[in-house]
């Protein structure tokens, strides 16, 4: 009897050690990108002015992908933080309008290896945004504040190939909110009135009938070494219609930046010799 107990305990210990070694041998590098955007912008905010404004768009985006700790072969986590600034003028060139925004988006995507060089990953994300549109020509209402929390459809498609000997990865990432909450005052309501306590009816349920945003990011990463050069295009369509107020913000921009894969290692522990590297995007 003692012999059988010893055999069973030995098997349990061996299985536990094997699982521990397999977990320790899984390496999940972070795929991160830092990107600058420069392009054109078109603004219209009827709380401030019935006239559309056009001008230039600037932005900076930090994007981070990593295979999840659970089921890393299938699931990828994404984090995107962005800041933007638009400087526009009216057609007469005698008035200006500025728009500034800050956003953060976190999501998960399910990866499918369609072919050895093509990966598709549908998923969902949640995002918070905040910002303001400002026109110095208005005396009573110079600022239109914006804030929202949304739940989004998102995903990515990545393709890897070579241009001669240069490895290239092309990635397309769309984001489309489907529900959420956003802020808007009533037509003609002053922010001073809100400050005095008139705070009812400021939060509105977001759906495609009153809140629409489609963000498209297409990049090509040229693997020049351990650091990649990213170039691409970003287009964004944002529109809200509530309380007889309409906001439209359209941007198109050229994207350039640096990206790459990085590992965070414990200096007290060596990387296992039989490590299995699981990339976030393919």
């Amino acid at each position: 009897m003692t012999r059988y107990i010893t055999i069973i305990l030995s098997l349990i210990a061996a299985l536990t050690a094997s699982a521990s070694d397999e977990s320790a041998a899984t390496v999940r590098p972070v795929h991160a990108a830092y990107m600058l955007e420069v392009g054109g912008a078109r603004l219209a905010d009827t709380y401030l002015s019935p006239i559309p404004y056009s001008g230039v768009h600037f932005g900076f985006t930090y994007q981070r992908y990593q295979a999840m700790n659970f089921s890393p072969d299938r699931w990828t986590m994404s984090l995107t933080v962005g800041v933007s600034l638009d400087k526009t003028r009216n057609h007469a060139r005698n008035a200006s309008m500025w728009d500034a925004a800050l956003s953060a988006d976190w999501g998960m995507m399910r990866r499918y290896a369609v072919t050895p060089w093509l990966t598709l990953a549908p998923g969902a994300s949640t995002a918070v945004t905040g910002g303001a549109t400002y026109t110095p020509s208005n005396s009573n209402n110079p600022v239109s504040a914006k804030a929202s929390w949304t739940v989004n459809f998102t995903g990515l498609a990545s393709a890897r190939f070579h241009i001669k000997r240069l490895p290239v990865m092309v990635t397309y990432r769309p984001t489309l909110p489907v529900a959420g909450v956003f802020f808007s005052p009533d037509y003609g309501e002053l922010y001073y009135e809100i400050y005095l306590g008139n705070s009812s009816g400021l939060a509105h349920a977001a759906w495609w009938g009153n809140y629409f945003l489609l963000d498209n990011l297409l990049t090509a990463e040229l693997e020049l070494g351990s650091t990649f050069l990213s170039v691409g295009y970003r287009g964004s369509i944002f529109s809200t219609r509530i309380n007889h107020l309409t906001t439209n913000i359209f941007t198109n921009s050229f994207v350039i930046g640096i990206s790459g894969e990085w590992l965070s290692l414990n200096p007290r522990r060596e990387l296992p010799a039989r490590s299995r590297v699981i990339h976030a995007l393919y």
Side-chain angles (χ1 to χ4, degrees):
M1 184 68 178
T2 305
R3 179 183 176 185
Y4 290 120
I5 293 176
T6 304
I7 292 174
I8 292 172
L9 292 177
S10 299
L11 288 173
I12 294 174
L15 290 173
T16 304
S18 176
S20 177
D21 290 342
E22 183 179 353
S23 174
T26 300
V27 178
R28 301 174 296 117
V30 172
H31 188 107
Y34 303 84
M35 296 172 287
L36 294 174
E37 307 169 18
V38 180
R42 183 177 176 84
L43 308 181
D45 190 326
T46 57
Y47 182 82
L48 300 176
S49 171
I51 302 172
Y53 287 60
S54 59
V56 294
H57 165 80
F58 303 96
F60 173 79
T61 300
Y62 167 72
Q63 205 165 50
R64 182 183 190 273
Y65 296 97
Q66 188 177 24
M68 297 296 294
N69 193 26
F70 73 92
S71 190
D73 291 306
R74 298 182 178 88
W75 291 93
T76 290
M77 178 274 295
S78 70
L79 173 66
T80 303
V81 179
V83 59
S84 66
L85 178 66
D86 302 330
K87 179 184 179 182
T88 62
R89 297 181 69 84
N90 61 6
H91 293 298
R93 316 301 292 176
N94 59 5
S96 61
M97 182 179 289
W98 297 73
D99 183 80
L102 175 66
S103 63
D105 181 290
W106 184 90
M108 288 177 54
M109 293 169 286
R110 172 64 162 88
R111 294 199 314 275
Y112 295 93
V114 180
T115 68
W117 55 271
L118 176 63
T119 299
L120 299 180
S125 69
T126 182
V128 291
T129 62
T133 304
Y134 167 71
T135 177
S137 59
N138 286 8
S139 56
N140 289 334
N141 297 340
V143 177
S144 174
K146 295 173 177 59
S148 66
W149 167 76
T150 58
V151 177
N152 319 310
F153 285 143
T154 189
L156 64 85
S158 65
R160 291 171 56 85
F161 54 91
H162 286 76
I163 299 178
K164 293 186 177 181
R165 295 186 178 181
L166 178 64
V168 179
M169 181 170 67
V170 175
T171 303
Y172 170 61
R173 173 77 185 272
T175 302
L176 176 66
V178 294
V181 179
F182 70 103
F183 165 85
S184 177
D186 204 348
Y187 183 83
E189 183 178 13
L190 301 177
Y191 284 91
Y192 182 67
E193 298 177 65
I194 299 174
Y195 172 76
L196 293 178
N198 186 17
S199 57
S200 62
L202 299 178
H204 307 272
W207 64 291
W208 288 341
N210 60 12
Y211 185 101
F212 182 82
L213 170 64
L214 177 59
D215 182 79
N216 296 282
L217 177 61
L218 177 66
T219 59
E221 293 178 300
L222 312 178
E223 301 183 15
L224 305 178
S226 58
T227 301
F228 311 154
L229 173 65
S230 296
V231 294
Y233 163 81
R234 184 167 208 158
S236 177
I237 301 172
F238 174 70
S239 179
T240 63
R241 298 176 185 275
I242 197 74
N243 294 340
H244 305 289
L245 297 173
T246 299
T247 299
N248 292 317
I249 302 176
F250 307 143
T251 62
N252 292 279
S253 55
F254 171 74
V255 176
I256 186 169
I258 59 172
S259 60
E261 290 186 318
W262 289 275
L263 286 174
S264 178
L265 300 176
N266 188 340
R268 298 187 182 90
R269 297 178 59 184
E270 294 184 359
L271 191 66
R274 298 176 59 184
S275 300
R276 187 167 64 100
V277 179
I278 300 179
H279 301 277
L281 300 182
Y282 58 90

